[in-house]
Amino acid sequence: MAQDRMAESAATVKTLYGKENPCAIKGSPELGELMQKFIYSDVNSKVQMPLAQKELLTLVVLTANATPEDIGIHVKGALAAGATPAEIRETIYQTTPYVGFARAKNALIEMQLAFEEAGVNEPENAGTVTDATRYDDGLNVQGGIFGCDHILAGYDSAPADQKFINYYLSENCFGDYYTRKVLDLKQRELITFTAIITLGCCDPQAKAHVGGNLSVGNTRQDLLDAVTVALPYIGYPRTLNAISAINAVAPAK
């Protein structure tokens, strides 16, 4: 059985990364082998999504974890699995309002280096809003996911000195990012959920975005797949917290 796991994982690693191996650890081959078999045999066999989507969500986790040194090889893996350069860049962009500019910037720098090594042209700009439209367009998307009445009630109930944060959420988080081209709302909400559970200590937001995912058409299985992809990189405590958030909003039937 162990040999089967090793052979299976080695084949997937070769398919995605060629002669490179993201699990190789100089001086610690045993941990590298444990990592390879767990991610590329156990996790891959359980997650019900294409390799390209697994690699894109891995980029989300690496960005949120502030581990840009591993971004480049997974960019190449995503390309090999069929993801487009635009999808890769938009995936990292979508993490930005949740993990912050610094982490996204570091990931994008490594992404660009990988694009250049792979001979990939820079994707076209994907923004759709202007300074004049970002609030209305953002509120429209935000309300479509979470309910306009809920969002407007949040405006009304917020203390006067923090209402600007509510407006930032509408115009920046949703206006500047969710309205962009290339990825649809299902993809963006799953990216958001994955980024939040990677950060940890964000249980209310994790539960809110479980609901957000369900409202745009993702399923409990999609959410469990995202958690499973993240597990090797975030560990069991954050994984179990993420599963608790799913169970609180979308319990098993």
Side-chain angles (χ1 to χ4, degrees), residues 91-229:
T91 293
I92 297 175
Y93 269 37
Q94 180 62 29
T95 69
T96 307
Y98 299 95
V99 307
F101 283 117
R103 295 184 188 200
K105 177 182 176 181
N106 287 338
L108 290 167
I109 289 170
E110 295 300 320
M111 177 205 75
Q112 187 59 34
L113 291 173
F115 279 176
E116 291 170 3
E117 287 183 24
V120 169
N121 293 327
E122 182 178 338
E124 295 181 359
N125 290 339
T128 66
V129 299
T130 67
D131 286 351
T133 64
R134 62 198 283 261
Y135 170 74
D136 288 336
D137 290 354
L139 180 60
N140 184 55
V141 174
Q142 186 184 18
I145 297 173
F146 298 103
C148 283
D149 290 344
H150 172 72
I151 301 303
L152 295 177
Y155 285 164
D156 292 339
S157 63
D161 62 354
Q162 69 177 58
K163 285 183 186 291
F164 70 97
I165 298 294
N166 295 69
Y167 285 95
Y168 281 175
L169 279 167
S170 296
E171 64 191 11
N172 176 240
C173 185
F174 288 91
D176 290 341
Y177 295 96
Y178 274 81
T179 61
R180 293 174 62 82
K181 293 180 286 187
V182 180
L183 302 179
D184 60 26
L185 286 182
K186 290 178 67 175
Q187 293 168 306
R188 291 187 182 278
E189 264 300 294
L190 198 60
I191 289 166
T192 295
F193 174 74
T194 305
I196 288 170
I197 64 168
T198 299
L199 291 173
C201 299
C202 303
D203 292 347
Q205 289 77 21
K207 291 176 183 177
H209 283 281
V210 170
N213 271 273
L214 297 176
S215 75
V216 299
N218 287 323
T219 65
R220 173 182 165 89
Q221 185 62 55
D222 293 326
L223 293 164
L224 288 172
D225 281 351
V227 173
T228 307
V229 168

Side-chain angles (χ1 to χ4, degrees), residues 16-17 20-26 31 35 39-40 54-79 88 92 103 106-114 117 232-234:
L16 289 172
Y17 317 111
E20 295 185 83
N21 187 340
C23 301
I25 307 172
K26 186 176 181 180
L31 183 60
M35 180 178 174
I39 295 173
Y40 296 101
K54 294 175 188 176
E55 283 295 287
L56 291 174
L57 290 183
T58 299
L59 288 171
V60 174
V61 177
L62 295 174
T63 302
N65 258 349
T67 49
E69 63 273 14
D70 291 329
I71 291 286
I73 192 168
H74 286 282
V75 166
K76 295 173 187 176
L79 290 169
I88 293 169
I92 297 175
R103 295 184 188 200
N106 287 338
L108 290 167
I109 289 170
E110 295 300 320
M111 177 205 75
Q112 187 59 34
L113 291 173
E117 287 183 24
Y233 307 96
I234 68 175

